[in-house]
Amino acid sequence: QDNYAALHASLHWQVPQYFNIAQVCCTRWADRPDGATRTAIQTYTPAGATERYSYAQLQSSAAQLAQALRVLGVGRGERVAIVLPQRFETAVAYMAVLQLGAVAVPLSTLFGPQALEFRLHDSEAVVALCDATCIQALNAARSNCPLLRYVIGIDAPGADLDWGRTLAQEPDTFEAAHTQADEAAVLIYTSGTTGQPKGALIPH
């Protein structure tokens, strides 16, 4: 305890000037010799079925989505809402948005139209990614979100674009943005139990 002050004063994070979460969590592993066989994600169904996805598969899909978002006009620093449950495509969405240099906005699939509308409007999200569990609530929230240009849906009738068809049109390679370590990566919102929800930016 006598050395606490000195230890505290000497503690420093070794943060590089440039850093990208997707590159560290996905791309570098996909680029390894075993990237096509090393498991990145394993999914389980209530019936007991499992499916494995390699880092190469994750990166390939993320590259296609990142390219698709770029084609749709999503620029660096713009917000992309991710309204998805826990599934493989959710990881793809985060890796794609972060590689693009855009900002991921995670939103609960349990939100109703009013909760979605506030966060979509406040974040100025330009694209939303969803599946059938929340497409109805998302579409109901769109009328007061003029900046929301596209909704990409996974097996979600009513979405502007279909996830599978949209990704299939794009190449499976993408050069990630050279993001700075303190550049915005994720925008999360407080619960709003003591007033309106408040956004908090998390850097790479």
Side-chain angles (χ1 to χ4, degrees):
Q1 62 184 19
D2 293 340
N3 296 325
Y4 177 79
L7 287 170
H8 185 271
S10 66
L11 178 63
H12 299 285
W13 292 105
Q14 301 298 317
V15 180
Q17 180 180 359
Y18 295 96
F19 188 87
N20 186 282
I21 294 173
Q23 195 281 326
V24 172
C25 293
C26 180
T27 310
R28 66 169 177 167
W29 297 102
D31 289 343
R32 287 168 55 103
D34 61 350
T37 56
R38 182 185 286 250
T39 300
I41 294 174
Q42 184 168 350
T43 61
Y44 299 85
T45 69
T50 66
E51 190 165 2
R52 294 177 183 271
Y53 298 90
S54 69
Y55 281 99
Q57 289 175 297
L58 177 59
Q59 174 57 29
S60 175
S61 294
Q64 290 178 305
L65 179 57
Q67 183 62 38
L69 291 172
R70 176 179 284 174
V71 169
L72 292 175
V74 180
R76 190 161 172 166
E78 289 193 297
R79 275 70 64 199
V80 176
I82 300 175
V83 199
L84 289 168
Q86 296 301 314
R87 55 186 298 167
F88 173 67
E89 291 84 359
T90 308
V92 170
Y94 279 101
M95 295 302 101
V97 171
L98 297 173
Q99 287 183 47
L100 185 59
V103 179
V105 184
L107 298 176
S108 174
T109 57
L110 300 178
F111 283 153
Q114 186 175 3
L116 285 172
E117 179 186 315
F118 178 86
R119 292 161 176 82
L120 290 168
H121 188 278
D122 185 74
S123 67
E124 299 183 341
V126 295
V127 172
L129 310 172
C130 72
D131 68 3
T133 62
C134 52
I135 184 63
Q136 189 172 1
L138 190 55
N139 278 337
R142 292 186 72 176
S143 59
N144 290 320
C145 302
L147 296 180
L148 184 61
R149 302 193 295 264
Y150 299 100
V151 172
I152 302 176
I154 304 168
D155 300 323
D160 301 321
L161 299 167
D162 175 74
W163 174 286
R165 288 194 291 270
T166 300
L167 267 63
Q169 297 174 19
E170 304 301 337
D172 61 358
T173 58
F174 187 85
E175 185 174 349
H178 200 43
T179 51
Q180 297 196 53
D182 60 357
E183 199 166 332
V186 181
L187 173 60
I188 60 173
Y189 276 86
T190 60
S191 62
T193 52
T194 57
Q196 293 283 31
K198 298 172 181 64
L201 275 173
I202 300 173
H204 282 271

